[in-house]
Amino acid sequence: MEADELQELLETNGELMIAVADFGQPLELHLHDTEIDGDTVRLELTDGVITFDTDAIAGAWQHTHSLADLGLE
């Protein structure tokens, strides 16, 4: 995935879920904890920092919540 495309999606949606080749679980990106610089993504977590290449991103999608997700349907 191209860095500028990822940055645009993040800015448009405020948060994203991404699938990264090196991780078994999707990662959640937010504007306040994610820095995209060139071909590198830096994700600041509560107990450390993860850095990976944008080439390792297999997919990205908007992270949303619904009333059903919260049991309020």
Side-chain angles (χ1 to χ4, degrees):
M1 176 166 261
E2 297 293 323
D4 57 343
E5 180 183 7
L6 185 63
Q7 183 69 45
E8 183 179 331
L9 285 170
L10 183 57
E11 288 178 8
T12 299
N13 297 304
E15 59 185 33
L16 287 177
M17 297 299 290
I18 60 170
V20 180
D22 298 336
F23 304 107
Q25 298 277 348
L27 298 177
E28 186 173 347
L29 306 180
H30 297 99
L31 281 172
H32 66 87
D33 61 15
T34 305
E35 184 179 315
I36 303 167
D37 185 23
D39 293 331
T40 303
V41 177
R42 181 180 186 276
L43 175 58
E44 195 171 318
L45 304 169
T46 57
D47 58 353
V49 174
I50 297 174
T51 304
F52 52 90
D53 292 335
T54 56
D55 289 344
I57 300 173
W61 59 97
Q62 183 179 3
H63 184 209
T64 60
H65 300 282
S66 69
L67 291 174
D69 292 341
L70 302 173
L72 301 171
E73 51 193 345

